[in-house]
């Protein structure tokens, strides 16, 4: 049972909540992109994720927290993510760690700025991953343009992405 109802007060409350929600949304949009550990992903899900990004360059990096060359390469990938508009470049990291704790902790502490997943058992065979770090790059038309094993530097990565976007290297 409602003992007191003031329509003007109710309208002010709705307006206040809408204003607070708008301010919160603007604050979130102004923050730098955070990496997010999104859990395990199987080969079919990874293929679907790459396919869903048609129209963008896709950079898929296989790595692990226990892999020293992977850790050397991570700042290069982070810089690449920051250098391109998310409407042009989609990046994803697929961890080959032995469990979800390590990539989840890495996402929170190191924040590469792009989503991270943990590879399920079928991913290595489906993507023919035999060594890491391994970086695969797809052109906006969905064709695989690059497949590299070993550490890549940001200049080489940015040059490849720029070329695939049809413009001069950044």
């Amino acid at each position: 049972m409602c003992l007191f109802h003031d329509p003007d007060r109710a309208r002010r409350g709705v307006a206040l909540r809408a204003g607070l929600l708008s301010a919160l949304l603007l604050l979130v949009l102004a923050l730098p992109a955070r990496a997010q550990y999104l859990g395990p992903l199987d080969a079919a899900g990874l293929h679907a994720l790459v396919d869903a990004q048609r129209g963008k360059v896709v950079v898929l990096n296989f790595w692990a927290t226990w892999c020293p060359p992977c850790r050397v390469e991570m700042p290069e990938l982070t810089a690449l993510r920051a250098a391109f508009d998310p409407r042009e470049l989609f990046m994803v990291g697929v961890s080959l760690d032995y469990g979800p704790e390590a990539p989840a902790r890495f996402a929170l502490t190191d924040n590469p700025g792009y989503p991270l997943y943990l590879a399920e058992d079928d991913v290595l065979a489906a993507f023919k991953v035999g060594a890491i770090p391994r970086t695969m790059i797809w052109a906006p038309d969905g064709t695989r343009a690059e497949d590299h094993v070993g550490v890549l530097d940001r200049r080489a990565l940015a040059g490849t992405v720029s070329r695939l976007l049809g413009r001069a290297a950044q």
Side-chain angles (χ1 to χ4, degrees), residues 43-116:
L46 189 51
H47 279 293
L49 186 63
V50 169
D51 289 345
Q53 302 305 316
R54 290 271 168 104
K56 300 177 187 179
V57 172
V58 175
V59 174
L60 171 59
N61 180 256
F62 293 96
W63 69 289
T65 59
W66 47 260
C67 166
C70 299
R71 298 298 291 258
V72 167
E73 184 181 54
M74 196 59 72
E76 303 298 303
L77 295 167
T78 300
L80 179 71
R81 170 63 276 151
F84 288 89
D85 189 309
R87 293 172 292 187
E88 298 176 314
L89 174 66
F90 177 77
M91 290 183 63
V92 64
V94 179
S95 171
L96 303 181
D97 280 288
Y98 302 112
E101 298 81 14
R105 188 173 42 255
F106 180 86
L108 288 173
T109 60
D110 290 34
N111 187 29
Y114 53 89
L116 303 174

